[in-house]
Amino acid sequence: MSVTMNEAEMTFENAASMGLSKDEWELILDRLGRVPNLCELGIFSAMWSEHCSYKSSKKWLKTLPIDGPQVIEGPGENAGAIDIGDGLAAIFKIESHNHPSFIEPYQGAATGVGGILRDVFTMGARPVALMNALRFGAADHEKTRHLLSGVVSGIGGYGNCIGIPTIGGEVNFDPSYNGNILVNAMAVGLANSDRIFRSAATGPGNPVIYVGAKTGRDGIHGATMASAEFSDETESKRPTVQVGDPFTGKLLMEACLELMASDAVLSIQDMGAAGLTSSSVEMASKGGLGMEMDLDLVPAREEGMSAYELMLSESQERMLMVLKPDATETARQVFEKWDLDFMPIGKVTETGRLVLLKDGGVACDIPLAPLVDDAPEYDRPQADVPSRPVLNSDDITDSTTIGEALLKLLGSVDLASRRWVYEQYDSQVMADTIAGPGGDAGLIRVHGTQRGLAVSTDCTPRYVEADPRIGGAQAVAEGWRNLSAIGARGLAITNNLNFGNPEKPDIMAQMAQSVLGMGDAARALNTPVVSGNVSLYNETDGRAILPCPVVGMVGTIENIDQAVGMAPSAGETLIVLGQDNSCNDGWLGVSLYARNLAGNPNAAPPPVDLEAEKRHGEFLQAQIAAGTIRAAHDISDGGLAVAVAEMCIAGRTGASISTPSDGNLHGWAFGEDQARYVVSTDDADTLLKAAAGAGVPAAAIGSTQSGGELKFGDEAAISVKQLHTLVEGTIPALMGNG
């Protein structure tokens, strides 16, 4: 079949403008045996972009553990799926919308939420929870307030309208994100474990159906834009940002789930990055088949759209599906009932080719194998990661008192309450939320049962920068701790790898080594990686972001009534799990203390003992289930003193803490040593005895009191009300509401 060359043949200059290298251009010419036209080149550029092909990260992603008895579907589908028992599966994924959100924060964030929800319900799951991981520039940067406001509004605007609770997430600030913010959205859904839908096309001759909203010119080449660095001309990329419609998204979700309840759907794929291009190519290639589509039949909302525009548009709220031949009219009735477009636009073929018809001719005829299976895969050079010195606490601490240091830390944007953010999200819709934003992990009831699904998102970029392998492992361990702190056991993870330009050896080393660390931790904690996303070229004018491999972890708790929060009651004993009474110092290197009080000296991050993480977490889970622990909080940013202060604020209770008589008091209070928790109990003897029997270091450090002060020995006595006012006021003041 000859291609109608109604468009000029392309040159390398055209390819370069779409993000393709000279070698990739030559490879396209070799695979096709001719020069592509504009539509064909656009399809290659989208499918070979970092966003779609993972060409710089594939080698390292293959090292991650992806299997386990709980895994139903690992990486490669729209989302991952794990067995949570009782015939149910949790289906989840995290994905980035970084570049679009910087250019147009409201729509960029909103369509990020819409896209990740489609990834989940495309698998046949009803979404039940949303999370997010957000990184913004310095609090005093001229764009931070605008970007934070727009992103939060976009997340809330889409999630609230479609009726899915946002139950937690992260918000962090650092100057490295001044020109390139990170917006990672995660969705979790529930499905019957024997009713999970895949994307591989089946059955030559079966109809290919377009459903959802009409196609416009918004988002064209969004995948390519997301695979390039920013520059001072970034604002000119505004047309590549998609426009979302949550109300249409809600209709599409309900229509798809209704149709999936029948036996009509053979395969289904969200039109996400690269739109109709990626959905058609991935469906056909996964099935080892081909696909032919008549682009004149694609529902369009603008006149005169070319084949290139129709294939590369990233207009939102659209799906592509393959139906059983006799189910077309039944499916049409479902989508018409929900007032959505439903149009047969093609068929599955046996050719192994993508054939596109337009205006009475052939606009594209290319083999699928080069687009997917033979896409470039690079083993990019890595620089040696310089080892940082292990600094003693005495080399980092200053002369402030514990009280002064604690007030400075809690008054920073690093530890300020995120209430201003999460109160704009509906966390209670669907009426199954047990623990919403503000705690260690979000928790929802598995509807109609006593079982709970726990979710967290985590990453500490400053650790990753200091030592990528340790930082990657710590991100997984932190997720494990956050779930353990409420009594849940982590089962699997999804990841979002946010890095700079992989063509730079130091950035490539960050990514590769952090993935290896993530794999180390995932294997040790039995939490395989079942889905994820890679976002590279997060740079502006050559300046890269702090590396940020975000981990989203999902786990379960058998009885939600046994779950605990971080708020203790008066009269309980406070115990540290993970350290004993001999501890009189702590790891201050790369800590928030070092960042805020000591000029952030060049230092190594705290080591991560994965065996200890597993043992301590499993012990905590068991003790929460046994009822010996009343409240728990993992020790992370800011160390022990911050963890205790946050518990007192949450419980509106005072506490008296015993401090060591020697050693480095600031290291003990603010060190960020890993695998530790603060817990409260009304049966300290039983808990300490159990910890000794399990080989878990533990120490009683004080008690909670009905008075309104947090005391650290003779060093400090601070009003808990003052602490509450301090942490709650920082973000509103930043946003002009203080």
Side-chain angles (χ1 to χ4, degrees), residues 439-462:
D440 284 312
L443 179 65
I444 58 166
R445 179 198 307 269
V446 176
H447 192 72
T449 76
Q450 282 298 101
R451 304 182 72 227
L453 202 60
V455 193
S456 73
T457 56
D458 290 286
C459 183
T460 310
R462 63 183 187 278

Side-chain angles (χ1 to χ4, degrees), residues 39-60:
C39 177
E40 293 168 332
L41 183 61
I43 289 170
F44 269 101
S45 72
M47 294 306 300
W48 285 9
S49 68
E50 291 283 0
H51 196 78
C52 292
S53 74
Y54 301 102
K55 58 191 175 186
S56 295
S57 56
K58 264 190 288 192
K59 171 183 170 66
W60 302 100

Side-chain angles (χ1 to χ4, degrees), residues 694-715:
V696 176
I701 59 168
S703 60
T704 55
Q705 302 171 348
S706 56
E709 285 189 324
L710 171 57
K711 301 175 182 178
F712 288 92
D714 297 327
E715 287 287 318

Side-chain angles (χ1 to χ4, degrees), residues 19-29 48 55 376 378:
L20 292 165
S21 68
K22 181 69 172 177
D23 287 343
E24 289 167 346
W25 166 249
E26 297 292 342
L27 188 58
I28 291 170
L29 297 181
W48 285 9
K55 58 191 175 186
Y378 298 126

Side-chain angles (χ1 to χ4, degrees), residues 641-660:
V642 167
V644 171
E646 289 174 339
M647 293 178 77
C648 289
I649 292 168
R652 302 295 178 95
T653 183
S656 179
I657 306 300
S658 299
T659 57

Side-chain angles (χ1 to χ4, degrees), residues 246-282:
F247 299 104
T248 301
K250 170 68 170 174
L251 298 177
L252 182 62
M253 179 177 72
E254 297 299 342
C256 287
L257 292 175
E258 179 178 333
L259 186 61
M260 288 170 170
S262 70
D263 291 323
V265 179
L266 294 175
S267 52
I268 182 168
Q269 174 74 40
D270 164 40
M271 289 192 216
L276 190 52
T277 287
S278 63
S279 56
S280 58
V281 169
E282 289 174 10

Side-chain angles (χ1 to χ4, degrees), residues 226-239:
S227 305
E229 295 181 29
F230 275 162
S231 68
D232 291 335
E233 286 76 44
T234 291
E235 295 300 318
S236 67
K237 297 177 186 270
R238 197 174 295 270

Side-chain angles (χ1 to χ4, degrees), residues 136-161:
F136 296 96
D140 59 357
H141 188 264
E142 59 182 357
K143 287 189 174 181
T144 295
R145 187 162 77 172
H146 161 70
L147 292 169
L148 176 60
S149 176
V151 165
V152 171
S153 296
I155 291 171
Y158 205 103
N160 295 355
C161 288

